């Protein structure tokens, strides 16, 4: 019998601001740079800093980690309710507040499914990061998405008027903060 005769190959999906988006086959050991080159490279409208790599293996690890965290919260909550020192010294209202907070945390964790998103660092100049640590090896069913350059700057946080402002080349962070009403006293 011929080894791997049923193996029809693996593929990765490249979408967004690349010249030829689509599904690309790859060989074991192949890296992102080679697939991006075959996809024609990034378009001038690409926002390389916003590129996202979704990997099923990472999604599985995130889900396992989240499940373990939920189990730990539930276990610590049960232990706290059974603790004689806490139940004797704490009022029933305080215990109820703690229980509600724990339930809220668990609910928040369960309502946000894992994404499988990996942090990646690329630039439009593929040669500058090809064959470096940033040029990670591809896995089956990876999805690489390169978004379009945003035309705005989002100013949020401790400012008087959180808003999105049209991007203006050459403007500093201070200029954008000023146009968002400036920073407040807790900034």
């Amino acid at each position: 019998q011929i080894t791997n005769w049923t193996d029809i190959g693996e593929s990765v999906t490249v979408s967004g601001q690349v010249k030829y988006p689509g599904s690309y086959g790859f060989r074991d050991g192949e890296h992102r740079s080679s697939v991006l080159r075959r996809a024609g490279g990034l378009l001038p409208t690409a926002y390389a800093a916003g590129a996202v790599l979704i990997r099923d293996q990472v999604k599985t690890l995130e889900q396992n980690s989240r499940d373990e965290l939920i189990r730990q919260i539930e276990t610590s909550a049960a232990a706290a309710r059974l603790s004689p020192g806490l139940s004797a010294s704490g009022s029933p209202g305080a215990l109820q507040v703690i229980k509600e907070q724990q339930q809220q945390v668990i609910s928040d964790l369960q309502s946000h499914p894992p994404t499988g998103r990996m942090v990646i660092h690329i630039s439009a100049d593929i040669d500058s990061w090809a064959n470096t640590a940033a040029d990670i090896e591809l896995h089956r069913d990876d999805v690489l998405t390169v978004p379009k350059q945003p035309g705005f700057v989002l100013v949020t946080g401790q400012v008087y008027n959180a808003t999105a402002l049209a991007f203006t080349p050459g403007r500093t962070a201070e200029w954008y903060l000023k146009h968002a009403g400036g920073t407040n006293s807790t900034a």
Side-chain angles (χ1 to χ4, degrees):
Q1 182 173 358
I2 301 172
T3 306
N4 296 329
W5 70 274
T6 59
D7 187 8
I8 59 171
E10 298 179 351
S11 68
V12 60
T13 302
V14 180
S15 64
Q17 299 298 300
V18 294
K19 192 168 185 177
Y20 306 111
S23 229
Y24 289 85
F26 67 94
R27 296 178 308 277
D28 276 344
E30 195 167 349
H31 294 259
R32 280 182 308 160
S33 60
S34 65
V35 170
L36 276 174
R37 283 186 181 114
R38 284 190 280 144
L42 302 182
L43 296 174
T45 55
Y47 181 48
V52 174
L53 180 68
I54 304 295
R55 182 169 283 173
D56 287 340
Q57 181 184 12
V58 173
K59 192 181 293 187
T60 301
L61 292 171
E62 284 177 347
Q63 184 63 49
N64 292 343
S65 177
R66 182 171 296 171
D67 292 345
E68 181 59 30
L69 179 58
I70 290 170
R71 276 193 292 279
Q72 288 175 356
I73 291 171
E74 290 172 341
T75 302
S76 66
R81 283 192 299 271
L82 295 175
S83 173
L86 181 62
S87 58
S89 66
S91 67
L95 290 175
Q96 183 61 29
V97 169
I98 292 170
K99 183 178 178 182
E100 287 173 6
Q101 288 174 343
Q102 289 171 335
Q103 282 304 115
Q104 180 63 41
V105 169
I106 290 171
S107 176
D108 288 347
L109 286 169
Q110 291 172 335
S111 67
H112 294 92
T115 60
R117 180 181 177 146
M118 288 183 62
V119 175
I120 59 172
H121 302 285
I122 64 171
S123 67
D125 180 14
I126 296 173
D127 293 331
S128 69
W129 54 269
N131 302 317
T132 68
D135 194 11
I136 61 174
E137 192 174 314
L138 295 170
H139 289 194
R140 177 187 297 243
D141 298 327
D142 279 356
V143 177
L144 176 61
T145 304
V146 183
K148 190 173 186 173
Q149 182 78 37
F152 62 89
V153 174
L154 183 62
V155 184
T156 62
Q158 301 303 314
V159 293
Y160 286 107
N161 184 26
T163 188
L165 299 166
F167 174 72
T168 307
R171 298 294 183 180
T172 64
E174 182 180 353
W175 184 87
Y176 288 103
L177 286 171
K178 179 181 171 193
H179 282 81
T183 59
N184 63 27
S185 60
T186 59

